[in-house]
Amino acid sequence: MLIVKNAVKDAAGSKNVSADFYDKLNEKVQDLVDRAAERAEANGRKTIQARDL
C-alpha cells in the first residue's frame, strides 16, 4: 500500500471514504510511479523526478 489511509481520509474532509476507493487510489498511484520510472529510464536516469509525471 503506497497511500496512507488516514491522510486520504483527512484530505476528504467531512466525506466518508469507502474501502474500495483506497484500493483504486493505490492502483492509480502505483501506475503513476511505474510510468514515471519508465520515463526516467528512457531518458537514461536512475532518479525519478517530478518532470517524469
Side-chain angles (χ1 to χ4, degrees), residues 1-2 23-43 45-53:
M1 185 71 59
L2 294 174
D23 294 335
K24 192 63 166 181
L25 179 59
N26 192 68
E27 288 176 21
K28 295 279 188 179
V29 171
Q30 183 65 61
D31 183 55
L32 284 171
V33 171
D34 291 344
R35 291 186 346 198
E38 289 171 4
R39 180 169 154 61
E41 186 174 339
N43 286 295
R45 290 182 279 110
K46 291 186 177 186
T47 303
I48 299 172
Q49 300 174 352
R51 64 184 176 192
D52 296 316
L53 291 173

Side-chain angles (χ1 to χ4, degrees), residues 2-19:
L2 294 174
I3 61 160
V4 177
K5 290 182 180 181
N6 283 335
V8 173
K9 189 172 182 177
D10 289 346
S14 63
K15 301 291 184 198
N16 294 324
V17 180
S18 67

